[in-house]
């Protein structure tokens, strides 16, 4: 879904990440190491479970970033 959305919107494929909590946390750390002071985790427009996405970010990704 991420790749399709980036193609539709003409986005940079390097600006997105999909995968398990470890993959997402690793990407967040890379952007922070590169100087980002804010990293936003945004679901794709067709995300079928927004509540689940937020829960995933809070409960699985966040502990791996701190």
């Amino acid at each position: 879904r991420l790749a399709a959305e980036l193609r539709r919107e003409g986005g940079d494929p390097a600006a997105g990440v999909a995968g398990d909590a470890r993959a997402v946390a690793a990407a967040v750390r890379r952007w922070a190491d590169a100087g980002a002071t804010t990293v936003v985790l945004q679901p794709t427009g067709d995300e079928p479970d927004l509540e689940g996405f937020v829960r995933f970010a809070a409960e699985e990704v966040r502990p791996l970033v701190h």
Side-chain angles (χ1 to χ4, degrees), residues 2-63:
L2 175 60
E5 185 165 296
L6 289 171
R7 278 193 303 275
R8 276 193 311 275
E9 296 181 3
D12 179 0
V17 61
D20 64 10
R22 290 187 191 283
V24 175
V28 170
R29 286 191 301 273
R30 280 193 306 275
W31 290 317
D33 290 346
T37 57
T38 301
V39 176
V40 177
L41 301 183
Q42 178 176 326
T44 57
D46 62 349
E47 171 59 54
D49 181 11
L50 292 175
E51 186 175 310
F53 176 86
V54 173
R55 188 177 311 106
F56 167 75
E59 295 177 0
E60 297 184 43
V61 177
R62 186 173 186 264

